[in-house]
Amino acid sequence: MSLEFDTIAAVSTPPGEGAIGIVRLSGDEALAVADKVYQAGKKQLAEVPSHTIHYGHIIDPKNNGVIDEVMVSVMREPKTFTRENVVEINCHGGITSVNQVLQLVLQNGARLAEPGEFTKRAFLNGRIDLSQAEAVMDLIRAKTDKAMYLALQQLDGNLSQLIRNLRSEILDTLAQVEVNIDYPEYDDVETLTSKLLVEKAYQVKASINQLLQTASEGKILREGLATAIIGRPNVGKSSLLNFLLQEDKAIVTEIAGTTRDIIEEYVNVRGVPLKLVDTAGIRETEDIVERIGVERSRQALSEADLVLLVFNQNEPLTNEDRLLIEATNDNHRIVILNKMDLPNQLDLAELESLVDPESIVKTSILTKSGIESLENNIAALFFAGATGERDATYVSNVRHIALLHDAEAALDEVINGIESGMPVDLVQIDMTRCWDLLGEITGDSVQDELLTQLFSQFCLGK
Ligand code: GDP
């Protein structure tokens, strides 16, 4: 059974022109509201079978004016996204027609949905848990197929299941502790109980650690591998960038900044999302020595997950090149020897003494050769660490990561408490806190403000 809520409506497709636009309604009155504006002979949506779609017109009941020709999907609770009655009106895509249909349903008993309210209802009605609701948001924002896969997996409840198992183990232990305290059968019950707690704490901590290890990879999948392409002028940086950006590989996202809009460029290399950082700045400044001195560039370098350092092998190494090598020694770095189509002038032996020879890739962007191995190299670097296994459960959400760290800290308190001989009932409190913190990930223990804040980040109509 769904909880009692009013009926909400919103445009669920992106703003702008499209082949169709969808106005979605959810709530007890969804069918009744739709019937007031829908006309197809004598047909009443309230009477049609669930999960069917119907042709007809949207009519303004005030003046009988036809607003749009539509297809209307009717889905009755409980088998819907929100677990409420849902009606989706598929309109012709123009902004005006979709908006007119929305206005009309609002005048006829529906209320305009807040951002994320559909998903919030799915959560409140028990259809999905909080980490799944967040996955819906990630799915909308996913920038590559891998990020999308990650979100889909979370939507499947992969992470939730893992967290639930941990919580139930903790709960079992806490119950056992209670029993031991209430019915001490043995004299050494205190020792036994302490042992139980500390063993469980270590065990849960190990699982949390394992999850946290996937965090940086998960974060990169979500947000992209921050990548800086650097090198002296004319070595081929822009050519490389353009090559990576060409065709459908490029995804350009506009992110509303506080003072101005920043355009971030994403490229998708073998499913690894690269977020190109401050490339404009690095591309445009001519004087590298000065550029490296510039705080902003240093910042960009220190924040880069990956540096693509480009050299022109048709020229000898210069001091500027050496300086760039030095400046990026602490970065994950791929060294690109470009312009392989031209005669060799660069001393490879010297370069190999300065950088890891394995990190060198030879390319000619002009003739498009060697790019394959560059892409292999990027993918290998990314998947070198922990996983790349498709089945790993990733944590990528900042909120989840913070909660896992807090839960880990609570477990440390348990362990330290027991080891320093604290009474069991005090240690129990930390164990319970760990249980609570994990519950915040799935939304099993969560406060109202958090919910409001989380769901408000969604886009309208979701
Ligand atoms: P940037 O200043 O590092 O961004 O370098 P550009 O990408 O603007 O390239 C400088 C010049 O080198 C351009 O004329 C490119 O066409 C040329 N170029 C880039 N890659 C290659 C290459 O692999 N071989 C040759 N022969 N020329 C290249």
PDB file of all heavy atoms in Angstrom, residues 335 351-361:
ATOM      1  N   VAL A 335      53.456   9.588 -21.327  1.00  0.00           N
ATOM      2  CA  VAL A 335      54.316  10.455 -22.127  1.00  0.00           C
ATOM      3  C   VAL A 335      54.061  10.138 -23.594  1.00  0.00           C
ATOM      4  O   VAL A 335      54.189   8.990 -24.025  1.00  0.00           O
ATOM      5  CB  VAL A 335      55.804  10.219 -21.776  1.00  0.00           C
ATOM      6  CG1 VAL A 335      56.701  11.050 -22.675  1.00  0.00           C
ATOM      7  CG2 VAL A 335      56.045  10.548 -20.305  1.00  0.00           C
ATOM      8  N   LEU A 351      65.302  10.550 -22.572  1.00  0.00           N
ATOM      9  CA  LEU A 351      63.915  10.600 -22.109  1.00  0.00           C
ATOM     10  C   LEU A 351      63.617   9.397 -21.206  1.00  0.00           C
ATOM     11  O   LEU A 351      63.000   9.527 -20.148  1.00  0.00           O
ATOM     12  CB  LEU A 351      62.952  10.621 -23.303  1.00  0.00           C
ATOM     13  CG  LEU A 351      61.478  10.782 -22.922  1.00  0.00           C
ATOM     14  CD1 LEU A 351      61.228  12.140 -22.283  1.00  0.00           C
ATOM     15  CD2 LEU A 351      60.572  10.598 -24.128  1.00  0.00           C
ATOM     16  N   GLU A 352      64.122   8.225 -21.629  1.00  0.00           N
ATOM     17  CA  GLU A 352      63.852   7.022 -20.845  1.00  0.00           C
ATOM     18  C   GLU A 352      64.547   7.041 -19.490  1.00  0.00           C
ATOM     19  O   GLU A 352      64.135   6.318 -18.579  1.00  0.00           O
ATOM     20  CB  GLU A 352      64.245   5.772 -21.640  1.00  0.00           C
ATOM     21  CG  GLU A 352      63.247   5.494 -22.751  1.00  0.00           C
ATOM     22  CD  GLU A 352      63.513   4.181 -23.483  1.00  0.00           C
ATOM     23  OE1 GLU A 352      64.646   3.656 -23.397  1.00  0.00           O
ATOM     24  OE2 GLU A 352      62.577   3.704 -24.146  1.00  0.00           O
ATOM     25  N   SER A 353      65.571   7.861 -19.389  1.00  0.00           N
ATOM     26  CA  SER A 353      66.225   7.985 -18.077  1.00  0.00           C
ATOM     27  C   SER A 353      65.444   8.937 -17.170  1.00  0.00           C
ATOM     28  O   SER A 353      65.631   8.944 -15.957  1.00  0.00           O
ATOM     29  CB  SER A 353      67.665   8.477 -18.249  1.00  0.00           C
ATOM     30  OG  SER A 353      67.647   9.854 -18.606  1.00  0.00           O
ATOM     31  N   LEU A 354      64.581   9.729 -17.774  1.00  0.00           N
ATOM     32  CA  LEU A 354      63.832  10.728 -16.985  1.00  0.00           C
ATOM     33  C   LEU A 354      62.418  10.274 -16.623  1.00  0.00           C
ATOM     34  O   LEU A 354      61.866  10.700 -15.619  1.00  0.00           O
ATOM     35  CB  LEU A 354      63.750  12.062 -17.753  1.00  0.00           C
ATOM     36  CG  LEU A 354      65.071  12.774 -18.025  1.00  0.00           C
ATOM     37  CD1 LEU A 354      64.862  13.977 -18.938  1.00  0.00           C
ATOM     38  CD2 LEU A 354      65.730  13.209 -16.721  1.00  0.00           C
ATOM     39  N   VAL A 355      61.845   9.443 -17.489  1.00  0.00           N
ATOM     40  CA  VAL A 355      60.483   8.976 -17.204  1.00  0.00           C
ATOM     41  C   VAL A 355      60.447   7.456 -17.300  1.00  0.00           C
ATOM     42  O   VAL A 355      61.347   6.839 -17.866  1.00  0.00           O
ATOM     43  CB  VAL A 355      59.441   9.575 -18.189  1.00  0.00           C
ATOM     44  CG1 VAL A 355      59.510  11.081 -18.208  1.00  0.00           C
ATOM     45  CG2 VAL A 355      59.634   9.008 -19.592  1.00  0.00           C
ATOM     46  N   ASP A 356      59.398   6.867 -16.766  1.00  0.00           N
ATOM     47  CA  ASP A 356      59.220   5.426 -16.850  1.00  0.00           C
ATOM     48  C   ASP A 356      59.049   5.025 -18.313  1.00  0.00           C
ATOM     49  O   ASP A 356      58.093   5.460 -18.968  1.00  0.00           O
ATOM     50  CB  ASP A 356      57.966   5.042 -16.044  1.00  0.00           C
ATOM     51  CG  ASP A 356      57.605   3.582 -16.208  1.00  0.00           C
ATOM     52  OD1 ASP A 356      58.430   2.829 -16.771  1.00  0.00           O
ATOM     53  OD2 ASP A 356      56.502   3.203 -15.771  1.00  0.00           O
ATOM     54  N   PRO A 357      59.992   4.218 -18.859  1.00  0.00           N
ATOM     55  CA  PRO A 357      59.918   3.869 -20.283  1.00  0.00           C
ATOM     56  C   PRO A 357      58.571   3.235 -20.660  1.00  0.00           C
ATOM     57  O   PRO A 357      58.094   3.415 -21.780  1.00  0.00           O
ATOM     58  CB  PRO A 357      61.052   2.857 -20.460  1.00  0.00           C
ATOM     59  CG  PRO A 357      61.995   3.122 -19.340  1.00  0.00           C
ATOM     60  CD  PRO A 357      61.170   3.618 -18.197  1.00  0.00           C
ATOM     61  N   GLU A 358      57.984   2.531 -19.715  1.00  0.00           N
ATOM     62  CA  GLU A 358      56.685   1.891 -19.969  1.00  0.00           C
ATOM     63  C   GLU A 358      55.582   2.915 -20.241  1.00  0.00           C
ATOM     64  O   GLU A 358      54.553   2.590 -20.825  1.00  0.00           O
ATOM     65  CB  GLU A 358      56.249   1.071 -18.746  1.00  0.00           C
ATOM     66  CG  GLU A 358      57.204  -0.019 -18.375  1.00  0.00           C
ATOM     67  CD  GLU A 358      56.733  -1.349 -18.931  1.00  0.00           C
ATOM     68  OE1 GLU A 358      55.548  -1.670 -18.740  1.00  0.00           O
ATOM     69  OE2 GLU A 358      57.548  -2.042 -19.565  1.00  0.00           O
ATOM     70  N   SER A 359      55.796   4.138 -19.759  1.00  0.00           N
ATOM     71  CA  SER A 359      54.734   5.141 -19.874  1.00  0.00           C
ATOM     72  C   SER A 359      54.792   5.885 -21.213  1.00  0.00           C
ATOM     73  O   SER A 359      53.987   6.754 -21.476  1.00  0.00           O
ATOM     74  CB  SER A 359      54.832   6.144 -18.722  1.00  0.00           C
ATOM     75  OG  SER A 359      55.995   6.936 -18.878  1.00  0.00           O
ATOM     76  N   ILE A 360      55.781   5.531 -22.047  1.00  0.00           N
ATOM     77  CA  ILE A 360      55.941   6.258 -23.309  1.00  0.00           C
ATOM     78  C   ILE A 360      55.102   5.623 -24.425  1.00  0.00           C
ATOM     79  O   ILE A 360      55.135   4.417 -24.619  1.00  0.00           O
ATOM     80  CB  ILE A 360      57.430   6.288 -23.742  1.00  0.00           C
ATOM     81  CG1 ILE A 360      58.270   6.962 -22.647  1.00  0.00           C
ATOM     82  CG2 ILE A 360      57.593   7.005 -25.079  1.00  0.00           C
ATOM     83  CD1 ILE A 360      59.760   6.939 -22.919  1.00  0.00           C
ATOM     84  N   VAL A 361      54.370   6.478 -25.113  1.00  0.00           N
ATOM     85  CA  VAL A 361      53.577   6.012 -26.250  1.00  0.00           C
ATOM     86  C   VAL A 361      53.978   6.829 -27.469  1.00  0.00           C
ATOM     87  O   VAL A 361      54.114   8.045 -27.393  1.00  0.00           O
ATOM     88  CB  VAL A 361      52.066   6.233 -25.992  1.00  0.00           C
ATOM     89  CG1 VAL A 361      51.250   5.719 -27.162  1.00  0.00           C
ATOM     90  CG2 VAL A 361      51.627   5.561 -24.710  1.00  0.00           C
TER      91      VAL A 361
END
